[in-house]
Amino acid sequence: MKDMKHVFAGMTVAVALLTACASGEQKALTVSGLDPAKFDTLINQKPVKLYTLKNNNGMEVCITNYGGRVVSLVVPDRDNKQVDVVLGFDNIHQYADTLNSPSDYGSSVGRYANRIKNGQFTLGDSTYQLRLNDGPNSLHGGGTTGWMNQVYEAEQIGDSILKLTIVAQDGENGFPGTVTAVTTYKVTADNTLDMTWEATTDKETIINQTNHNYYNLSGDFTQAGYDQVLYVNADKFTASDKLYIPTGEIRDVEGTPFDFRTAHAIGDSINAAYDQIQNATGYDHNFCLNTWKDGKGDDTQVCASLYSPKTGILMEMYTNEPGVQVYSGNFQGVGRDADIVRKHGIKYPKHVSVCLESQKFPDSPNHPEWASPVLKPGEKYYSHAAYKFSTK
């Protein structure tokens, strides 16, 4: 999704040792080639580190507690080579530099993922005005001042679980209620990255969390990901205006470039002469999942998948949420973003990746006919998304 934002093919990296020139000391790198020391710092007087989760099947996920961001995600390809499949930076300074390298890469988005029209909503007799950070609208809870750029308290449990906790104060970015939120990342034995978001509040509020990984399953971040094969189990999607705000119309995917009920390459339709594609210069839309019925989501069914014919890596997605935002990296490699250097010295081109973000529909606080994002005192918010990796 929009939020400001040599050859490298099928990256294969193993746990390595790098000799430091000055001291002669050796540094252990992650499987993805990250130096944890480049993430060890203080931000707003709070400690930030890089945490590594792994299983015994070659999967490794590196996460920083700054914004709850997934920095790298390594899985085996069809030849059992380890491939990093998510975009990002290789140091904490670029993540934290919201002026020169703003990004939502890998973040745990809150308090409200996606957009709210005019940054306004009403609860009871009160109307709230949020921080505007996307033209006249609010995006991702305030973007640079939202949770993606806050430091979470971290607790790693064994090799495979990380719990991140944040306390957001009443009035922060205009949202009501002091909210305590816990994001839990788990790497399972079957190569699944399992994520849960839980929250409580002392005052009626809204909440809609998600993960914002940018996926390119080929591992080649120098090329547009047009050959990635997408499946979305959705008969309908929410149409949007030119500012990406839902119009209220829910359209059938039948006969449109939004029909991914039969999986096909994203490049087949990403430049279609269709109003919704032209408005966004690609995909930046909410799909209404068929796995959501009678006010409940079935997170035992595949709601979406992504496949790379280059590596054979298949990613299957599960969620209990009613929607998934498909974003095709339309603002990457555009304008000044084209000059920003990311992991492994790479500058990303447009459409290099795909995001699959579980969520309540965008602008849901202003659409009472849709699944409600309202959280009241005494209730617990619970959202779940899992991404299972295999090969074929």
Side-chain angles (χ1 to χ4, degrees), residues 286-328:
N286 171 73
F287 286 72
C288 309
L289 295 172
N290 293 335
T291 51
W292 177 273
K293 294 181 180 179
D294 301 322
K296 185 178 180 180
D298 185 351
D299 55 5
T300 67
Q301 294 187 51
V302 175
C303 68
S305 69
L306 196 64
Y307 171 72
S308 169
K310 291 181 180 176
T311 59
I313 296 174
L314 172 68
M315 181 182 75
E316 296 173 303
M317 178 183 178
Y318 305 79
T319 186
N320 68 333
E321 293 291 356
V324 60
Q325 186 85 6
V326 176
Y327 173 55
S328 54

Side-chain angles (χ1 to χ4, degrees), residues 61-139:
V61 180
C62 294
I63 302 166
T64 172
N65 59 314
Y66 177 71
R69 294 170 180 262
V70 175
V71 180
S72 66
L73 197 166
V74 171
V75 290
D77 70 4
R78 64 162 65 94
D79 298 319
N80 208 32
K81 294 179 181 178
Q82 290 169 304
V83 180
D84 185 1
V85 298
V86 297
L87 277 56
F89 298 109
D90 60 10
N91 63 87
I92 194 61
H93 304 293
Q94 283 185 283
Y95 281 110
D97 187 353
T98 58
L99 179 62
N100 296 304
S101 55
S103 80
D104 48 20
Y105 290 144
S107 59
S108 183
V109 179
R111 174 178 315 195
Y112 195 91
N114 218 309
R115 293 173 173 85
I116 296 178
K117 184 177 182 179
N118 297 324
Q120 291 184 346
F121 66 95
T122 299
L123 288 177
D125 297 327
S126 300
T127 297
Y128 297 93
Q129 178 64 59
L130 306 178
R131 177 178 183 264
L132 303 180
N133 64 310
D134 186 46
N137 304 310
S138 177
L139 172 63

Side-chain angles (χ1 to χ4, degrees), residues 139-157:
L139 172 63
H140 288 337
T144 56
T145 58
W147 294 1
M148 70 174 71
N149 289 295
Q150 304 298 323
V151 179
Y152 288 68
E153 180 180 339
E155 177 189 6
Q156 182 162 353
I157 304 170

